Amino acid sequence: MLDDDTLMQAAALPDDSILHTLTSAERPLPSPSVVALELMRALDRRDLGMRDIANIARKDPALVARMIQLANSAIFAGMRPAVAIEEAVLRIGTGGLARLAIAMSLMQASRASSVEGFDLRRFWMTSIQRGLVFQYLSQRVGKMPSAEAFSLGLLSDVGLLAMAVSLGAEAVAPAETVDAQALRDWQRERNGFNQDDASAVLLHHWGFPLVLAQAARARPAHEPQQQGREARLAECVALSRALELRTEDAASDIPAMRRLAEHLELGEDDLQSMLASAAQDMASMASVFDMTLDAKEIDAEFDRLRRALSSPPLQIDTLAEQLLIVSPDAELRGSVRRVLEAEGHGVMECEDAEAAQAILQVEGPRVIVLDWADAEGVAALCRRLRREKGPRVYVLALSRETEQKGVLSALDAGANDVLFAPVSSQLLAAKVQTGARATRVLAAAEAERMHSLRTQRSLEQRNAELMQAAGTDELTGLGNRRALDAFLPTAFAQAVSDRLSLACLMFDLDDFKIINDRFGHDVGDQALRAVGRVLRQQSRGMDFVARVGGEEFVMFCPQTEQAAAVSVAERIRTAIAAPQDDLPPMSVSVGVAVGVAGYVNAAELVRAADQALLQAKRQGRNRVCVAPAKMPQ
């Protein structure tokens, strides 16, 4: 770990210097595709609707296929299958689509940037897992749309890839293994910036909003930040990094992870539930990014991840009755083997701690008998077992010393119990039976726990389906009044908190009673569905659209000023008035109100839009009227 003086000298380079360093290297940096960058730029254009975004995406047929696959993936469980890019854009959101297009094109480009000493496949596998964890975290505490949350988690460590490609693998990690914060300190001392700095700079350079880009530059996990949306977003990024897949010998700061989780009001059950969900969805999500992961590989990776937690989960162990004897004394191994085999145990044996490591990794016995003759070697093995497997293993030490010092050294290293040689056969059998029974009980408890997690996951998906159905208007597929009541208070409060505009557009289908009376209710239903389609096509991913009455609709557009809101309303009015096959002429009247600073609450904003709608009706229909601007109170 670097000392404080060194860290003070190793201040990060300015962002423009970091970007210049990464982009001016001899080896070209993997960059997003032209289509992906065009999609990002389109997010700033309020005059573009969903259909325009879909048409940009169509310039890359492979991207269209991936996005439709993503729209039908696990992160949108419970929704009907999407078959067209417009449906995918509607589901993913324009922001999510653009940012995931960045990720997909980066992954494709990086495959041509092989770097010696840098495991590209593991980087992207870890990134996908981190994206899933961040998505579930955001559902709990961040309140971001699923696709946008996944994209931020996926790319939150893209600076590591950029540094490896532009500066070489030797610039991203020291030779010795260090924990996450020490690694970043080392990078900053060596390069003038670390992978988090690089991630934030690149994300902002590619068009991510500053608040999302800066979340990648999170403070250390042991420094929980103040409350607020930006702080909680950064903490979610930090925790998703702490919960990412890790190699067998990677160091981890478990107490810091725990403190960060507690600050986000998450317990171990919450973390384990998120990991179970991520493990379940990992293979299907990897396939969206053209990666192949089999179930065994995923299970092995997540097993290592679960061991990073202070209370490591246990799995059903078919080898609970198998034992490993570790001793350089062949005669001792033979005598212990005979006693235990007579009790019905399967017995493996080896001479030293190094050989034991290989057996433990492949065979996985949970009861280990250690000859404490080579105290230093077996003590190190015992400590590692206890650190990695927690209570899942039972370690019985055989000591030739009857002095207190020898017994204490074994117990201090993590042994469950100590027997003195020469060993009593009956006592040896009894101790081993106790250890085997303890591992079986713990394994059974873990099996029940994992079953509960799977059941919870199934219930969550079913609840999502029910909530989706309960909040959907059956005729148009838009939100209904119930969905509006759930959306509006949060959206209004968020706009107030962020000091951003929230536009409310109220639509009423003109002369709808005449359409019903003259052409019949079937045609009337078709007319309402047509209005719903236009509203969906002209909305962004962050917009909310609902049918709130017989022929009345509402659209809420976050971060939209009055001029842009009127432009959207006129575009929708024109599209609905255009002749449509098999439908009579139609038109809508529109009322627009923009806040939130001048309105006491969301209901007042809606009333202002409704009054503007009534004014449009009085003035002759098929027009847009705007509520007078209200001054902040």
Side-chain angles (χ1 to χ4, degrees):
M1 191 74 176
L2 304 176
D3 58 41
D4 292 340
D5 292 337
T6 303
L7 291 178
M8 290 178 64
Q9 296 170 6
L13 292 172
D15 285 4
D16 56 350
S17 297
I18 296 174
L19 184 61
H20 176 75
T21 299
L22 294 174
T23 56
S24 62
E26 293 183 8
R27 189 189 298 266
L29 192 68
S31 299
S33 68
V34 173
V35 171
L37 291 174
E38 186 178 354
L39 286 168
M40 289 297 290
R41 289 192 295 270
L43 295 181
D44 295 327
R45 294 184 56 185
R46 193 60 187 85
D47 60 318
L48 297 182
M50 185 199 71
R51 182 172 293 174
D52 302 303
I53 298 294
N55 286 334
I56 295 174
R58 281 194 179 92
K59 296 178 183 179
D60 185 346
L63 175 64
V64 170
R66 297 291 180 199
M67 286 302 170
I68 292 175
Q69 185 181 0
L70 177 67
N72 295 315
S73 69
I75 65 174
F76 297 105
M79 296 186 176
R80 62 182 179 81
V83 296
I85 183 60
E86 285 83 2
E87 292 176 287
V89 176
L90 182 64
R91 185 166 301 174
I92 297 169
T94 52
L97 177 106
R99 289 159 196 159
L100 285 168
I102 292 280
M104 289 178 176
S105 61
L106 278 175
M107 184 177 291
Q108 187 66 33
S110 67
R111 288 170 178 154
S113 305
S114 176
V115 178
E116 184 178 354
F118 185 76
D119 190 339
L120 184 64
R121 184 177 186 275
R122 170 164 284 279
F123 169 81
W124 284 115
M125 180 171 66
T126 301
S127 297
I128 291 171
Q129 180 262 353
R130 191 190 313 112
L132 286 169
V133 169
F134 186 79
Q135 177 213 339
Y136 302 132
L137 267 175
S138 178
Q139 290 174 353
R140 300 289 182 91
V141 299
K143 305 302 182 186
M144 283 181 68
S146 291
E148 294 194 29
F150 177 79
S151 66
L152 178 58
L154 179 75
L155 292 176
S156 63
D157 218 15
V158 71
L160 177 65
L161 170 65
M163 291 176 68
V165 171
S166 59
L167 306 178
E170 66 278 3
V172 299
E176 70 278 7
T177 299
V178 294
D179 64 32
Q181 188 55 43
L183 170 65
R184 285 157 171 79
D185 294 340
W186 179 88
Q187 290 173 347
R188 181 166 289 182
E189 183 197 22
R190 185 189 188 280
N191 308 301
F193 61 95
N194 62 30
Q195 63 195 62
D196 297 346
D197 300 321
S199 297
V201 169
L202 289 173
L203 291 177
H204 191 49
H205 176 64
W206 291 329
F208 276 64
L210 183 60
V211 64
L212 299 186
Q214 286 296 91
R217 195 181 256 145
R219 289 161 61 181
H222 59 274
E223 298 180 16
Q225 303 180 34
Q226 299 301 314
Q227 293 296 330
R229 180 170 179 263
E230 294 183 18
R232 291 178 76 81
L233 192 62
E235 289 177 342
C236 286
V237 170
L239 185 55
S240 67
R241 285 171 173 162
L243 288 170
E244 71 184 21
L245 298 175
R246 59 194 68 237
T247 55
E248 184 72 29
D249 58 352
S252 58
D253 188 352
I254 301 303
M257 183 197 301
R258 287 285 173 200
R259 287 194 295 273
L260 187 54
E262 289 172 4
H263 195 253
L264 291 168
E265 300 178 355
L266 298 170
E268 183 176 342
D269 287 345
D270 296 311
L271 300 181
Q272 291 289 0
S273 178
M274 285 186 287
L275 294 182
S277 296
Q280 179 174 322
D281 298 338
M282 186 78 174
S284 63
M285 188 56 64
S287 69
V288 174
F289 290 86
D290 203 23
M291 287 185 67
T292 301
L293 300 175
D294 62 32
K296 290 184 179 179
E297 181 178 15
I298 294 172
D299 288 344
E301 293 288 349
F302 275 87
D303 183 59
R304 284 197 288 269
L305 176 57
R306 292 178 186 120
R307 288 203 299 266
L309 298 177
S310 59
S311 299
L314 307 165
Q315 298 179 356
I316 289 191
D317 187 3
T318 57
L319 301 178
E321 298 292 345
Q322 291 211 18
L323 304 135
L324 173 63
I325 305 168
V326 183
S327 174
D329 187 337
E331 183 178 348
L332 177 62
R333 294 200 308 271
S335 63
V336 172
R337 171 188 281 276
R338 286 189 291 275
V339 171
L340 297 179
E341 285 182 338
E343 295 293 327
H345 297 290
V347 180
M348 297 170 285
E349 60 180 85
C350 63
E351 295 184 356
D352 53 38
E354 184 176 353
Q357 285 281 21
I359 294 174
L360 287 164
Q361 192 167 14
V362 175
E363 303 294 341
R366 297 300 192 221
V367 178
I368 299 105
V369 179
L370 294 179
D371 182 354
W372 217 255
D374 176 21
E376 185 175 346
V378 292
L381 172 63
C382 191
R383 281 191 291 270
R384 179 165 183 167
L385 285 170
R386 194 58 67 211
R387 182 177 66 250
E388 293 180 354
K389 300 183 182 297
R392 290 184 295 181
V393 295
Y394 180 87
V395 179
L396 179 62
L398 302 182
S399 176
R400 292 177 173 80
E401 299 180 11
T402 58
E403 296 182 1
Q404 186 179 27
K405 180 180 178 181
V407 175
L408 290 177
S409 71
L411 295 177
D412 184 61
N416 294 86
D417 208 343
V418 180
L419 282 180
F420 299 104
V423 178
S424 162
S425 298
Q426 290 182 327
L427 192 55
L428 172 64
K431 293 287 187 182
V432 167
Q433 289 284 22
T434 298
R437 188 181 304 113
T439 60
R440 286 197 301 273
V441 170
L442 287 171
E446 178 58 18
E448 179 63 27
R449 181 180 184 180
M450 295 306 292
H451 174 72
S452 297
L453 288 174
R454 286 192 293 270
T455 301
Q456 178 183 347
R457 172 69 167 160
S458 177
L459 289 173
E460 287 174 352
Q461 290 184 343
R462 181 56 181 158
N463 286 338
E465 294 172 5
L466 293 173
M467 289 297 292
Q468 175 73 13
T472 301
D473 175 61
E474 292 184 5
L475 181 64
T476 64
L478 300 177
N480 59 16
R481 173 70 69 174
R482 180 173 181 171
L484 173 63
D485 292 342
F487 165 84
L488 190 51
T490 301
F492 189 88
Q494 187 70 62
V496 171
S497 174
D498 295 343
R499 298 182 180 179
L500 296 172
S501 292
L502 176 65
C504 176
L505 286 63
M506 298 286 292
F507 302 85
D508 190 89
L509 185 56
D510 296 328
D511 298 319
F512 180 64
K513 185 176 185 302
I514 295 176
I515 294 175
N516 271 338
D517 292 346
R518 183 176 299 175
F519 300 99
H521 288 280
D522 287 345
V523 174
D525 288 348
Q526 292 178 36
L528 292 172
R529 281 194 287 266
V531 172
R533 281 195 301 273
V534 172
L535 289 171
R536 279 200 303 271
Q537 291 166 356
Q538 299 294 339
S539 64
R540 302 170 299 175
M542 69 174 67
D543 298 337
F544 175 85
V545 186
R547 180 187 176 204
V548 292
E551 64 271 25
E552 192 170 8
F553 300 81
V554 66
M555 175 187 287
F556 286 93
C557 304
Q559 303 175 29
T560 302
E561 301 294 343
Q562 180 171 299
V566 172
S567 176
V568 172
E570 284 288 0
R571 193 168 69 239
I572 293 172
R573 185 194 63 78
T574 302
I576 292 172
Q580 300 188 46
D581 294 340
D582 302 324
L583 285 176
M586 296 188 302
S587 67
V588 291
S589 300
V590 191
V592 177
V594 179
V596 292
Y599 296 96
V600 175
N601 52 38
E604 187 176 327
L605 175 65
V606 173
R607 280 195 296 271
D610 196 42
Q611 288 300 311
L613 171 61
L614 290 175
Q615 182 183 357
K617 291 284 190 183
R618 295 190 192 104
Q619 292 181 2
R621 299 181 175 86
N622 191 23
R623 66 190 64 233
V624 175
C625 286
V626 182
K630 295 194 67 173
M631 297 300 295
Q633 298 181 359

